[in-house]
Amino acid sequence: MILNLHGEVPSTPAHAHASATKDASAITILNAEPAFLPTLKTLHSKFPKLRIILEHCSTAAALAMVRSCGPTVAGTITAHHLSLIIDDWAGDPFCFCKPVAKTPEDRDALLKAVVNSEGKFFLGTDSAPHDRGKKRGEDKVAAGVFTQPYAIGYVLDALEKGIERGVIDEKDVTQDRLEGFVGAWGRRFYGVKENGTEKIKLKKKGEVVVDILAKEGLGVQVVPFRRGEETWSVTWH
Amino acid sequence: MILNLHGEVPSTPAHAHASATKDASAITILNAEPAFLPTLKTLHSKFPKLRIILEHCSTAAALAMVRSCGPTVAGTITAHHLSLIIDDWAGDPFCFCKPVAKTPEDRDALLKAVVNSEGKFFLGTDSAPHDRGKKRGEDKVAAGVFTQPYAIGYVLDALEKGIERGVIDEKDVTQDRLEGFVGAWGRRFYGVKENGTEKIKLKKKGEVVVDILAKEGLGVQVVPFRRGEETWSVTWH
């Protein structure tokens, strides 16, 4: 059994009496994940053999807490949290998800965790195929970013930008670590054997993210993350 | 002459080298206003007689900085920042504005500043009549909240909620202070004489914020803040 956690504490209700938050900051979507981390620690202490995954880690604090736990605890990181920060989703429905993307420092910590994972962190896309009408057209915006067809390309793009910014070192982005992050480490944690028959090849050849994904008869139209932008091509072998 | 400031530092570019932000947090929409405050202080020190208004204060830090300056510096507070926090605009285009609404602690500091203004803070609505298509229908959401027709009602609603939460004391919400915040203190700062002929009356009689405001022939349709919710009625005398 694996316990998969969306680790966020609910926000403090708007009507809460001030005294309820006198000794601590009120909970908002910004500190909801850090506020959950003591609960993760407690769960792990009480059930040290239980395998736990803290899904879609979005803060440096979450990474540190996962690292502080034993080998039965791991964390996933989405493709989009490797590039997004709060400025990106403010005013852009297609970059809005929960947990929300946080600060540049948090994003850079996530990038570092990809190459310094040591098996503790691996890709979990949390890709959300909301119809475009749920993203831009109603009063409320559905939370979620759709990355599935391009997820591996987005990861590479984010790593490249991380190298440009000097956050990670090019020599740390090895094939072993990439294979581990996008596949092997997750398989190992879940105890899934590699079948060895399927491989992907990544190429940079000017592939552009499509504007919309639709399936005839299904009635759903999904706008992928970073539509119209270039990314890596993935082919299956 | 009055210098009216939108006091935010631009966000750190996404491509900035990590060393550029090694000694300080990167700037995002969250800390853009606090990061500007030393500039306000410097301006005031260099031009102590210049009247300066820090418009639409959205953080406790901004209020503290305005208070620390002499009587030539004042701050405005919008109607919507008195009730909004970050959770409200995440996923809600009609609550998204710049500066973005921040934490519950910041919002509560703004509420306290209304009743403890001592003339340093007054209403500046920054009401933004974006067409609804610019708020929900395009890839990017125009920043701004439309409050104009109900602004005074929203202020009262926010004060009532602040009393309920125990943030402010009912006895501190006096007619003098309300009149000061919504009119007299701004007039005094701008040196505008009261003409004494127009007054408003506020009544709680179940007025509901309309869904949409449109003007025939103008082609713009504006969704007001808190559409469909009850607020105070304002009548002119």
Side-chain angles (χ1 to χ4, degrees):
Chain A
M1 190 171 79
I2 293 188
L3 178 62
N4 301 73
L5 294 172
H6 179 138
E8 290 192 297
V9 170
S11 290
T12 308
H15 57 268
H17 192 276
S19 66
T21 58
K22 204 172 275 177
D23 300 321
S25 283
I27 305 297
T28 67
I29 52 172
L30 279 184
N31 58 3
E33 184 176 272
F36 178 79
L37 300 175
T39 305
L40 170 63
K41 192 77 178 178
T42 304
L43 280 169
H44 175 54
S45 305
K46 286 192 176 168
F47 307 101
K49 287 180 185 167
L50 175 66
R51 282 177 295 164
I52 303 175
I53 296 178
L54 188 67
E55 300 285 0
H56 41 60
C57 297
S58 67
T59 56
L63 302 173
M65 185 58 92
V66 169
R67 279 188 206 284
S68 79
C69 296
T72 52
V73 177
T76 60
I77 298 174
T78 76
H80 49 288
H81 282 100
L82 291 175
S83 66
L84 295 177
I85 61 165
I86 181 170
D87 286 45
D88 296 309
W89 60 263
D92 187 338
F94 296 106
C95 293
F96 170 58
C97 61
K98 298 268 182 88
V100 296
K102 310 290 193 308
T103 67
E105 291 81 1
D106 287 314
R107 178 204 53 197
D108 289 350
L110 295 172
L111 278 169
K112 284 178 189 163
V114 173
V115 292
N116 300 317
S117 160
E118 291 164 4
K120 288 290 268 187
F121 303 101
F122 44 85
L123 181 65
T125 58
D126 200 34
S127 178
H130 291 296
D131 184 70
R132 63 176 175 174
K134 298 278 171 199
K135 293 297 274 179
R136 54 166 182 211
E138 300 188 354
D139 276 15
K140 304 285 177 183
V141 178
V145 175
F146 185 65
T147 56
Q148 193 277 327
Y150 303 98
I152 310 291
Y154 297 147
V155 171
L156 290 190
D157 294 333
L159 289 170
E160 285 184 312
K161 293 227 168 89
I163 292 167
E164 274 173 41
R165 286 199 304 276
V167 171
I168 50 175
D169 201 321
E170 188 163 8
K171 72 170 168 40
D172 289 332
V173 185
T174 63
Q175 189 173 332
D176 264 11
R177 289 174 185 189
L178 277 181
E179 286 179 357
F181 181 74
V182 305
W185 298 329
R187 275 200 308 275
R188 189 176 72 188
F189 194 84
Y190 274 90
V192 174
K193 265 195 184 166
E194 189 184 359
N195 64 22
T197 55
E198 282 187 317
K199 291 276 174 193
I200 56 170
K201 263 192 191 164
L202 301 164
K203 276 188 185 163
K204 213 172 179 177
K205 52 176 192 185
E207 174 142 358
V208 172
V209 177
V210 298
D211 275 344
I212 206 141
L213 282 151
K215 203 170 179 178
E216 234 173 297
L218 202 64
V220 175
Q221 295 194 316
V222 178
V223 177
F225 181 50
R226 288 180 42 211
R227 75 184 183 88
E229 290 184 33
E230 274 195 24
T231 189
W232 289 67
S233 301
V234 175
T235 48
W236 290 80
H237 295 273
Chain B
M1 190 171 79
I2 293 189
L3 178 63
N4 301 72
L5 294 172
H6 178 138
E8 289 193 297
V9 170
S11 290
T12 308
H15 58 267
H17 191 277
S19 66
T21 58
K22 205 172 275 177
D23 299 321
S25 283
I27 305 297
T28 67
I29 52 173
L30 279 183
N31 58 4
E33 185 176 273
F36 177 79
L37 300 175
T39 305
L40 170 63
K41 192 77 179 176
T42 304
L43 279 168
H44 175 54
S45 303
K46 286 192 177 168
F47 307 101
K49 286 181 186 168
L50 175 64
R51 281 177 295 164
I52 303 176
I53 297 180
L54 188 66
E55 299 286 358
H56 41 61
C57 297
S58 67
T59 54
L63 302 173
M65 185 58 92
V66 169
R67 279 189 206 283
S68 78
C69 297
T72 52
V73 177
T76 60
I77 299 175
T78 76
H80 48 288
H81 281 101
L82 291 174
S83 65
L84 294 178
I85 61 164
I86 181 171
D87 287 46
D88 296 310
W89 60 263
D92 187 339
F94 296 105
C95 293
F96 170 58
C97 60
K98 297 269 182 87
V100 297
K102 309 289 191 311
T103 67
E105 290 82 0
D106 288 313
R107 178 205 53 198
D108 290 349
L110 295 171
L111 278 169
K112 284 177 189 165
V114 172
V115 292
N116 300 317
S117 160
E118 289 164 5
K120 288 290 267 188
F121 304 102
F122 44 86
L123 182 66
T125 58
D126 199 33
S127 179
H130 291 296
D131 182 70
R132 63 175 176 176
K134 299 278 172 199
K135 293 297 273 180
R136 54 166 184 211
E138 299 188 355
D139 276 16
K140 305 286 177 183
V141 178
V145 174
F146 185 66
T147 55
Q148 194 277 325
Y150 303 98
I152 311 290
Y154 298 148
V155 171
L156 289 190
D157 294 332
L159 289 170
E160 285 184 311
K161 292 225 168 88
I163 293 167
E164 274 173 42
R165 286 199 305 276
V167 171
I168 49 174
D169 201 321
E170 189 163 6
K171 71 170 170 38
D172 289 333
V173 185
T174 63
Q175 187 173 335
D176 264 11
R177 289 174 185 190
L178 278 182
E179 286 179 356
F181 181 75
V182 305
W185 298 328
R187 274 199 309 273
R188 188 176 72 188
F189 194 84
Y190 275 90
V192 174
K193 264 197 185 167
E194 189 183 1
N195 65 22
T197 55
E198 282 185 316
K199 292 273 175 196
I200 57 171
K201 264 195 190 162
L202 300 164
K203 275 190 187 162
K204 213 173 179 177
K205 52 176 191 184
E207 173 141 0
V208 173
V209 177
V210 298
D211 275 344
I212 206 139
L213 282 151
K215 203 169 179 177
E216 235 174 298
L218 201 64
V220 175
Q221 295 194 314
V222 178
V223 177
F225 182 49
R226 290 180 41 212
R227 74 184 183 89
E229 290 183 34
E230 275 195 24
T231 189
W232 289 68
S233 301
V234 175
T235 48
W236 289 81
H237 296 273

